[in-house]
Amino acid sequence: MYCILKILNNNALLATEKESGSERILLGKGIGFGKKAGDEVKVGEDIQVYTPVVREERKSAMHMVNTIDPVYIEAAARIIDEAEKVFDSVNGDIILPLADHIAFAAKREKDKISLANPFVPDIKILFGKEYAVAMESRKIIEEMTGYRISDDEAGFIALHIHSGLSNEQVSETLRITQIIDESMQIIETNTGREMHKESLSYIRLMSHLYYMAARAKTGEDVNIDLNAFVRENYPEAGKIAELVCKNMEEKLQKTIMPEEIGFLAIHIQRMIAS
């Protein structure tokens, strides 16, 4: 059972769960019709329940929903539904940050302001399924708001979807994506060659860098030590791997295990040899 805090529109409302007192966003056709704050409402199969998460701890869900047009909250819910058709489960807690981003994206489109996203090529590789959902979500946003967002904006929405899969903050995912982009530039500069972004070895290398960053954050060990083999057989790739690991360690402010060097060098050597 829920107690209504605020009617957002006929199809959306903010309520508290009576047992826990936790705030929830309830969405369903006509759920808010004829209701008022203080009324109780039961949740049936046709009602979607989301836990609102706000970016700043000092701000409440009430503050957030007061600043976001409910149409964007409904659009965010539909995008989450689309993502769940591709992935087993998406954390609905992303609904308010996603709605907030859609609102600003629509406003930028209305004002003819372009927000460049230089990491779209990286996002396509690292989070390809999320990006595909985000590209499809443009139809939902256009249908509900009248504005068709750009591919760059879709890249940011892909990061929100990834957040719903990984529980990683969008800003953190973007930071790691930037570090990976820097790593690829270091490799290109030191090998003196431009890598083919569509190649399988390029995609594998980017994925390896992503999971390398993830291991650094959790302190997970690498179960294989290839450093001696790399020093003897691929010294050039080994030196480049050292530069990449040093840069990642500085940017993440996390320890990169020495064994990561040899493991990464093998992937770099595949790039050099391809």
Side-chain angles (χ1 to χ4, degrees), residues 13-41:
L13 52 84
L14 179 67
T16 55
E17 189 177 27
K18 296 199 70 175
E19 290 184 1
S20 66
S22 301
E23 295 175 323
R24 300 286 188 268
I25 290 174
L26 308 184
L27 298 178
K29 189 173 182 180
I31 189 176
F33 182 75
K35 299 289 197 309
K36 63 182 184 299
D39 286 352
E40 293 184 349
V41 60

PDB file of all heavy atoms in Angstrom, residues 13-41:
ATOM      1  N   LEU A  13       2.613   9.405 -10.324  1.00  0.00           N
ATOM      2  CA  LEU A  13       2.539  10.068  -9.020  1.00  0.00           C
ATOM      3  C   LEU A  13       3.736   9.672  -8.166  1.00  0.00           C
ATOM      4  O   LEU A  13       4.389   8.653  -8.398  1.00  0.00           O
ATOM      5  CB  LEU A  13       1.219   9.739  -8.313  1.00  0.00           C
ATOM      6  CG  LEU A  13       0.801   8.270  -8.152  1.00  0.00           C
ATOM      7  CD1 LEU A  13       1.462   7.642  -6.932  1.00  0.00           C
ATOM      8  CD2 LEU A  13      -0.708   8.170  -8.024  1.00  0.00           C
ATOM      9  N   LEU A  14       4.001  10.516  -7.177  1.00  0.00           N
ATOM     10  CA  LEU A  14       5.048  10.248  -6.191  1.00  0.00           C
ATOM     11  C   LEU A  14       4.355   9.822  -4.907  1.00  0.00           C
ATOM     12  O   LEU A  14       3.404  10.474  -4.461  1.00  0.00           O
ATOM     13  CB  LEU A  14       5.897  11.501  -5.951  1.00  0.00           C
ATOM     14  CG  LEU A  14       7.027  11.372  -4.911  1.00  0.00           C
ATOM     15  CD1 LEU A  14       8.107  10.419  -5.407  1.00  0.00           C
ATOM     16  CD2 LEU A  14       7.640  12.743  -4.608  1.00  0.00           C
ATOM     17  N   ALA A  15       4.810   8.726  -4.322  1.00  0.00           N
ATOM     18  CA  ALA A  15       4.148   8.189  -3.132  1.00  0.00           C
ATOM     19  C   ALA A  15       5.185   7.609  -2.177  1.00  0.00           C
ATOM     20  O   ALA A  15       6.349   7.422  -2.524  1.00  0.00           O
ATOM     21  CB  ALA A  15       3.140   7.112  -3.533  1.00  0.00           C
ATOM     22  N   THR A  16       4.721   7.336  -0.954  1.00  0.00           N
ATOM     23  CA  THR A  16       5.577   6.651   0.017  1.00  0.00           C
ATOM     24  C   THR A  16       5.007   5.264   0.278  1.00  0.00           C
ATOM     25  O   THR A  16       3.783   5.089   0.356  1.00  0.00           O
ATOM     26  CB  THR A  16       5.666   7.411   1.356  1.00  0.00           C
ATOM     27  OG1 THR A  16       4.346   7.624   1.868  1.00  0.00           O
ATOM     28  CG2 THR A  16       6.379   8.733   1.182  1.00  0.00           C
ATOM     29  N   GLU A  17       5.915   4.312   0.413  1.00  0.00           N
ATOM     30  CA  GLU A  17       5.501   2.970   0.793  1.00  0.00           C
ATOM     31  C   GLU A  17       5.176   3.000   2.283  1.00  0.00           C
ATOM     32  O   GLU A  17       6.001   3.426   3.095  1.00  0.00           O
ATOM     33  CB  GLU A  17       6.627   1.977   0.506  1.00  0.00           C
ATOM     34  CG  GLU A  17       6.224   0.534   0.674  1.00  0.00           C
ATOM     35  CD  GLU A  17       7.350  -0.402   0.302  1.00  0.00           C
ATOM     36  OE1 GLU A  17       8.519   0.005   0.419  1.00  0.00           O
ATOM     37  OE2 GLU A  17       7.060  -1.534  -0.103  1.00  0.00           O
ATOM     38  N   LYS A  18       3.970   2.579   2.657  1.00  0.00           N
ATOM     39  CA  LYS A  18       3.499   2.771   4.026  1.00  0.00           C
ATOM     40  C   LYS A  18       4.348   2.023   5.050  1.00  0.00           C
ATOM     41  O   LYS A  18       4.584   2.511   6.154  1.00  0.00           O
ATOM     42  CB  LYS A  18       2.032   2.353   4.144  1.00  0.00           C
ATOM     43  CG  LYS A  18       1.089   3.217   3.317  1.00  0.00           C
ATOM     44  CD  LYS A  18      -0.343   3.113   3.779  1.00  0.00           C
ATOM     45  CE  LYS A  18      -0.536   3.787   5.123  1.00  0.00           C
ATOM     46  NZ  LYS A  18      -1.957   3.791   5.545  1.00  0.00           N
ATOM     47  N   GLU A  19       4.830   0.843   4.703  1.00  0.00           N
ATOM     48  CA  GLU A  19       5.585   0.048   5.664  1.00  0.00           C
ATOM     49  C   GLU A  19       6.967   0.624   5.937  1.00  0.00           C
ATOM     50  O   GLU A  19       7.410   0.692   7.078  1.00  0.00           O
ATOM     51  CB  GLU A  19       5.706  -1.399   5.178  1.00  0.00           C
ATOM     52  CG  GLU A  19       4.392  -2.164   5.207  1.00  0.00           C
ATOM     53  CD  GLU A  19       4.578  -3.613   4.823  1.00  0.00           C
ATOM     54  OE1 GLU A  19       5.728  -4.020   4.559  1.00  0.00           O
ATOM     55  OE2 GLU A  19       3.576  -4.354   4.780  1.00  0.00           O
ATOM     56  N   SER A  20       7.665   1.027   4.851  1.00  0.00           N
ATOM     57  CA  SER A  20       9.044   1.498   4.998  1.00  0.00           C
ATOM     58  C   SER A  20       9.180   3.012   5.017  1.00  0.00           C
ATOM     59  O   SER A  20      10.188   3.546   5.479  1.00  0.00           O
ATOM     60  CB  SER A  20       9.905   0.947   3.855  1.00  0.00           C
ATOM     61  OG  SER A  20       9.483   1.501   2.610  1.00  0.00           O
ATOM     62  N   GLY A  21       8.180   3.717   4.469  1.00  0.00           N
ATOM     63  CA  GLY A  21       8.278   5.172   4.371  1.00  0.00           C
ATOM     64  C   GLY A  21       9.135   5.628   3.215  1.00  0.00           C
ATOM     65  O   GLY A  21       9.380   6.824   3.051  1.00  0.00           O
ATOM     66  N   SER A  22       9.593   4.680   2.386  1.00  0.00           N
ATOM     67  CA  SER A  22      10.455   5.023   1.250  1.00  0.00           C
ATOM     68  C   SER A  22       9.645   5.646   0.119  1.00  0.00           C
ATOM     69  O   SER A  22       8.495   5.252  -0.123  1.00  0.00           O
ATOM     70  CB  SER A  22      11.168   3.770   0.735  1.00  0.00           C
ATOM     71  OG  SER A  22      11.954   3.188   1.747  1.00  0.00           O
ATOM     72  N   GLU A  23      10.261   6.612  -0.561  1.00  0.00           N
ATOM     73  CA  GLU A  23       9.594   7.271  -1.679  1.00  0.00           C
ATOM     74  C   GLU A  23       9.645   6.401  -2.930  1.00  0.00           C
ATOM     75  O   GLU A  23      10.662   5.760  -3.202  1.00  0.00           O
ATOM     76  CB  GLU A  23      10.236   8.637  -1.952  1.00  0.00           C
ATOM     77  CG  GLU A  23      10.055   9.636  -0.823  1.00  0.00           C
ATOM     78  CD  GLU A  23      10.803  10.937  -1.081  1.00  0.00           C
ATOM     79  OE1 GLU A  23      11.917  10.880  -1.645  1.00  0.00           O
ATOM     80  OE2 GLU A  23      10.285  12.001  -0.716  1.00  0.00           O
ATOM     81  N   ARG A  24       8.567   6.396  -3.687  1.00  0.00           N
ATOM     82  CA  ARG A  24       8.491   5.651  -4.931  1.00  0.00           C
ATOM     83  C   ARG A  24       7.773   6.488  -5.990  1.00  0.00           C
ATOM     84  O   ARG A  24       6.917   7.315  -5.668  1.00  0.00           O
ATOM     85  CB  ARG A  24       7.716   4.338  -4.742  1.00  0.00           C
ATOM     86  CG  ARG A  24       8.318   3.378  -3.722  1.00  0.00           C
ATOM     87  CD  ARG A  24       9.568   2.696  -4.256  1.00  0.00           C
ATOM     88  NE  ARG A  24      10.015   1.644  -3.358  1.00  0.00           N
ATOM     89  CZ  ARG A  24      10.897   1.802  -2.386  1.00  0.00           C
ATOM     90  NH1 ARG A  24      11.432   3.010  -2.200  1.00  0.00           N
ATOM     91  NH2 ARG A  24      11.259   0.805  -1.611  1.00  0.00           N
ATOM     92  N   ILE A  25       8.122   6.237  -7.239  1.00  0.00           N
ATOM     93  CA  ILE A  25       7.374   6.802  -8.361  1.00  0.00           C
ATOM     94  C   ILE A  25       6.500   5.689  -8.923  1.00  0.00           C
ATOM     95  O   ILE A  25       6.997   4.593  -9.224  1.00  0.00           O
ATOM     96  CB  ILE A  25       8.316   7.352  -9.451  1.00  0.00           C
ATOM     97  CG1 ILE A  25       9.035   8.613  -8.944  1.00  0.00           C
ATOM     98  CG2 ILE A  25       7.536   7.686 -10.723  1.00  0.00           C
ATOM     99  CD1 ILE A  25      10.078   9.145  -9.889  1.00  0.00           C
ATOM    100  N   LEU A  26       5.203   5.940  -9.024  1.00  0.00           N
ATOM    101  CA  LEU A  26       4.262   4.960  -9.554  1.00  0.00           C
ATOM    102  C   LEU A  26       3.760   5.448 -10.901  1.00  0.00           C
ATOM    103  O   LEU A  26       3.311   6.587 -11.031  1.00  0.00           O
ATOM    104  CB  LEU A  26       3.077   4.777  -8.602  1.00  0.00           C
ATOM    105  CG  LEU A  26       3.390   4.469  -7.126  1.00  0.00           C
ATOM    106  CD1 LEU A  26       2.101   4.222  -6.353  1.00  0.00           C
ATOM    107  CD2 LEU A  26       4.318   3.281  -6.993  1.00  0.00           C
ATOM    108  N   LEU A  27       3.822   4.576 -11.892  1.00  0.00           N
ATOM    109  CA  LEU A  27       3.366   4.905 -13.239  1.00  0.00           C
ATOM    110  C   LEU A  27       2.337   3.886 -13.703  1.00  0.00           C
ATOM    111  O   LEU A  27       2.519   2.685 -13.534  1.00  0.00           O
ATOM    112  CB  LEU A  27       4.549   4.919 -14.223  1.00  0.00           C
ATOM    113  CG  LEU A  27       5.666   5.924 -13.982  1.00  0.00           C
ATOM    114  CD1 LEU A  27       6.751   5.757 -15.031  1.00  0.00           C
ATOM    115  CD2 LEU A  27       5.143   7.346 -14.001  1.00  0.00           C
ATOM    116  N   GLY A  28       1.271   4.373 -14.275  1.00  0.00           N
ATOM    117  CA  GLY A  28       0.238   3.495 -14.801  1.00  0.00           C
ATOM    118  C   GLY A  28      -0.879   4.338 -15.389  1.00  0.00           C
ATOM    119  O   GLY A  28      -1.151   5.445 -14.921  1.00  0.00           O
ATOM    120  N   LYS A  29      -1.537   3.821 -16.389  1.00  0.00           N
ATOM    121  CA  LYS A  29      -2.572   4.582 -17.079  1.00  0.00           C
ATOM    122  C   LYS A  29      -3.702   4.944 -16.115  1.00  0.00           C
ATOM    123  O   LYS A  29      -4.341   4.099 -15.512  1.00  0.00           O
ATOM    124  CB  LYS A  29      -3.125   3.772 -18.249  1.00  0.00           C
ATOM    125  CG  LYS A  29      -4.057   4.577 -19.153  1.00  0.00           C
ATOM    126  CD  LYS A  29      -4.442   3.794 -20.397  1.00  0.00           C
ATOM    127  CE  LYS A  29      -5.327   4.632 -21.312  1.00  0.00           C
ATOM    128  NZ  LYS A  29      -5.709   3.888 -22.541  1.00  0.00           N
ATOM    129  N   GLY A  30      -3.923   6.263 -15.952  1.00  0.00           N
ATOM    130  CA  GLY A  30      -5.007   6.771 -15.122  1.00  0.00           C
ATOM    131  C   GLY A  30      -4.796   6.644 -13.628  1.00  0.00           C
ATOM    132  O   GLY A  30      -5.717   6.909 -12.844  1.00  0.00           O
ATOM    133  N   ILE A  31      -3.564   6.284 -13.188  1.00  0.00           N
ATOM    134  CA  ILE A  31      -3.327   6.054 -11.760  1.00  0.00           C
ATOM    135  C   ILE A  31      -3.551   7.310 -10.921  1.00  0.00           C
ATOM    136  O   ILE A  31      -3.936   7.244  -9.752  1.00  0.00           O
ATOM    137  CB  ILE A  31      -1.904   5.494 -11.527  1.00  0.00           C
ATOM    138  CG1 ILE A  31      -1.752   5.045 -10.072  1.00  0.00           C
ATOM    139  CG2 ILE A  31      -0.840   6.519 -11.900  1.00  0.00           C
ATOM    140  CD1 ILE A  31      -0.434   4.394  -9.765  1.00  0.00           C
ATOM    141  N   GLY A  32      -3.328   8.485 -11.530  1.00  0.00           N
ATOM    142  CA  GLY A  32      -3.478   9.729 -10.767  1.00  0.00           C
ATOM    143  C   GLY A  32      -4.825  10.404 -10.936  1.00  0.00           C
ATOM    144  O   GLY A  32      -5.112  11.412 -10.276  1.00  0.00           O
ATOM    145  N   PHE A  33      -5.671   9.836 -11.785  1.00  0.00           N
ATOM    146  CA  PHE A  33      -6.955  10.491 -12.091  1.00  0.00           C
ATOM    147  C   PHE A  33      -7.873  10.487 -10.864  1.00  0.00           C
ATOM    148  O   PHE A  33      -8.131   9.452 -10.251  1.00  0.00           O
ATOM    149  CB  PHE A  33      -7.657   9.772 -13.243  1.00  0.00           C
ATOM    150  CG  PHE A  33      -8.959  10.419 -13.647  1.00  0.00           C
ATOM    151  CD1 PHE A  33      -8.974  11.593 -14.363  1.00  0.00           C
ATOM    152  CD2 PHE A  33     -10.161   9.837 -13.281  1.00  0.00           C
ATOM    153  CE1 PHE A  33     -10.173  12.192 -14.732  1.00  0.00           C
ATOM    154  CE2 PHE A  33     -11.366  10.421 -13.643  1.00  0.00           C
ATOM    155  CZ  PHE A  33     -11.368  11.599 -14.358  1.00  0.00           C
ATOM    156  N   GLY A  34      -8.344  11.684 -10.503  1.00  0.00           N
ATOM    157  CA  GLY A  34      -9.272  11.813  -9.386  1.00  0.00           C
ATOM    158  C   GLY A  34      -8.651  11.613  -8.027  1.00  0.00           C
ATOM    159  O   GLY A  34      -9.349  11.582  -7.008  1.00  0.00           O
ATOM    160  N   LYS A  35      -7.330  11.479  -7.975  1.00  0.00           N
ATOM    161  CA  LYS A  35      -6.638  11.280  -6.704  1.00  0.00           C
ATOM    162  C   LYS A  35      -6.071  12.613  -6.194  1.00  0.00           C
ATOM    163  O   LYS A  35      -5.968  13.590  -6.928  1.00  0.00           O
ATOM    164  CB  LYS A  35      -5.486  10.278  -6.880  1.00  0.00           C
ATOM    165  CG  LYS A  35      -5.908   8.884  -7.337  1.00  0.00           C
ATOM    166  CD  LYS A  35      -6.632   8.129  -6.251  1.00  0.00           C
ATOM    167  CE  LYS A  35      -6.685   6.629  -6.536  1.00  0.00           C
ATOM    168  NZ  LYS A  35      -7.175   6.266  -7.869  1.00  0.00           N
ATOM    169  N   LYS A  36      -5.678  12.603  -4.917  1.00  0.00           N
ATOM    170  CA  LYS A  36      -5.051  13.781  -4.329  1.00  0.00           C
ATOM    171  C   LYS A  36      -4.005  13.329  -3.317  1.00  0.00           C
ATOM    172  O   LYS A  36      -3.989  12.151  -2.887  1.00  0.00           O
ATOM    173  CB  LYS A  36      -6.086  14.685  -3.665  1.00  0.00           C
ATOM    174  CG  LYS A  36      -6.820  14.067  -2.493  1.00  0.00           C
ATOM    175  CD  LYS A  36      -7.861  15.026  -1.935  1.00  0.00           C
ATOM    176  CE  LYS A  36      -8.536  14.445  -0.689  1.00  0.00           C
ATOM    177  NZ  LYS A  36      -9.235  13.190  -0.951  1.00  0.00           N
ATOM    178  N   ALA A  37      -3.122  14.259  -2.941  1.00  0.00           N
ATOM    179  CA  ALA A  37      -2.095  13.950  -1.940  1.00  0.00           C
ATOM    180  C   ALA A  37      -2.754  13.478  -0.654  1.00  0.00           C
ATOM    181  O   ALA A  37      -3.746  14.048  -0.197  1.00  0.00           O
ATOM    182  CB  ALA A  37      -1.230  15.180  -1.678  1.00  0.00           C
ATOM    183  N   GLY A  38      -2.211  12.400  -0.075  1.00  0.00           N
ATOM    184  CA  GLY A  38      -2.753  11.831   1.147  1.00  0.00           C
ATOM    185  C   GLY A  38      -3.600  10.601   0.903  1.00  0.00           C
ATOM    186  O   GLY A  38      -3.827   9.801   1.828  1.00  0.00           O
ATOM    187  N   ASP A  39      -4.088  10.435  -0.338  1.00  0.00           N
ATOM    188  CA  ASP A  39      -4.872   9.242  -0.662  1.00  0.00           C
ATOM    189  C   ASP A  39      -3.985   8.005  -0.665  1.00  0.00           C
ATOM    190  O   ASP A  39      -2.773   8.082  -0.905  1.00  0.00           O
ATOM    191  CB  ASP A  39      -5.528   9.379  -2.044  1.00  0.00           C
ATOM    192  CG  ASP A  39      -6.705  10.340  -2.039  1.00  0.00           C
ATOM    193  OD1 ASP A  39      -7.102  10.771  -0.933  1.00  0.00           O
ATOM    194  OD2 ASP A  39      -7.212  10.654  -3.126  1.00  0.00           O
ATOM    195  N   GLU A  40      -4.611   6.869  -0.395  1.00  0.00           N
ATOM    196  CA  GLU A  40      -3.886   5.605  -0.470  1.00  0.00           C
ATOM    197  C   GLU A  40      -4.135   4.958  -1.828  1.00  0.00           C
ATOM    198  O   GLU A  40      -5.188   5.143  -2.438  1.00  0.00           O
ATOM    199  CB  GLU A  40      -4.331   4.666   0.650  1.00  0.00           C
ATOM    200  CG  GLU A  40      -3.922   5.161   2.037  1.00  0.00           C
ATOM    201  CD  GLU A  40      -4.278   4.167   3.124  1.00  0.00           C
ATOM    202  OE1 GLU A  40      -5.024   3.188   2.830  1.00  0.00           O
ATOM    203  OE2 GLU A  40      -3.814   4.344   4.269  1.00  0.00           O
ATOM    204  N   VAL A  41      -3.161   4.201  -2.296  1.00  0.00           N
ATOM    205  CA  VAL A  41      -3.306   3.536  -3.581  1.00  0.00           C
ATOM    206  C   VAL A  41      -2.648   2.156  -3.508  1.00  0.00           C
ATOM    207  O   VAL A  41      -1.576   1.989  -2.917  1.00  0.00           O
ATOM    208  CB  VAL A  41      -2.666   4.384  -4.715  1.00  0.00           C
ATOM    209  CG1 VAL A  41      -1.180   4.611  -4.474  1.00  0.00           C
ATOM    210  CG2 VAL A  41      -2.885   3.725  -6.071  1.00  0.00           C
TER     211      VAL A  41
END
